[in-house]
């Protein structure tokens, strides 16, 4: 929602509701509720974004609503926004995946330069995500309160061979989640020094490693390339891997 709204009208310029067409089809409505009536975005004001079958590409769409209540705003020396973000049936669909989110997260957004911005999202209570992939695989995942994901995007990074789009996102995650399919809880963390690296236009990371620890075992997923991931299983948590395999 941050990146989608960022390319449209700025909140400071909105009075009431602005409805804009998306690049391909659908609309996005942005409503700014100036709670203190000071004519500018400030702490306590509320920004609501409603996506109505919004297609910015032929394969990617967003639907549903997100409401952000500002908790911090700064324009100098670094532009930053803090907010409590509430999502209601916020669905994002791409060629490979779909996600539908319900719940609240604390948002910290910082733009340190014209090309670098960082978004940090922390679950504020349980956040439920219905997820499906092209495998096919479907699950309902519930992020536990405190689960955190931080993404830093640098639009100036040149594309790797085989990719024509500039820009790279570095991602770290940490926290606990519940999987309905597995009927259990897992602790998830990006390994030290192995943040996930995803280039613009890629469906999957091309570098980085993620550890998923359950009650009886630990799984380490390492991105070998944008098309291949290595899976290492320590089934009894004794520090050694009983099996290692690479899959698409």
């Amino acid at each position: 929602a941050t990146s989608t709204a960022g390319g449209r009208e700025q909140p400071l310029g909105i009075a009431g509701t602005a409805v804009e067409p998306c690049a391909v089809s659908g609309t996005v409505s942005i409503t700014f509720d100036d709670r203190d009536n000071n004519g500018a975005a400030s702490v306590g004001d509320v920004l609501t974004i409603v996506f109505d079958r919004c297609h910015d590409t032929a394969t990617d769409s967003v639907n549903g609503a997100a409401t952000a209540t500002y908790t911090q705003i700064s324009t100098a020396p670094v532009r930053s926004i803090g907010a409590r973000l509430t999502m209601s049936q916020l669905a994002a669909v791409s060629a490979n995946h779909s996600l539908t989110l319900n719940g609240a997260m604390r948002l910290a957004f910082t733009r340190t330069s014209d090309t670098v911005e960082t978004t940090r999202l922390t679950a504020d209570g349980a956040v439920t995500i219905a997820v499906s992939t092209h495998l096919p695989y479907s699950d309902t995942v519930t992020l536990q309160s405190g689960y955190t994901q931080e993404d830093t995007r640098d639009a100036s990074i040149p594309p790797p061979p085989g990719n024509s789009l500039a820009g790279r996102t570095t991602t770290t995650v940490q926290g606990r989640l519940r999987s309905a399919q597995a009927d259990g809880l897992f602790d998830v963390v990006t390994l030290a020094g192995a943040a996930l690296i995803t280039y613009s236009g890629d469906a999957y990371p091309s570098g980085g490693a993620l550890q998923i620890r359950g009650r009886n075992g630990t799984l380490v997923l390492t991105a070998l390339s944008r098309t291949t991931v290595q899976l290492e299983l320590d089934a009894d948590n004794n520090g050694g891997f009983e099996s290692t395999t690479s899959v698409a």
Side-chain angles (χ1 to χ4, degrees), residues 7-19:
R8 306 183 191 280
E9 280 195 63
Q10 296 303 313
L12 291 175
I14 296 172
T17 299
V19 180

Side-chain angles (χ1 to χ4, degrees), residues 62-79:
V62 184
N63 207 46
T67 298
T69 301
Y70 291 115
T71 57
Q72 184 267 328
I73 297 177
S74 176
T75 56
V78 175
R79 184 177 179 184

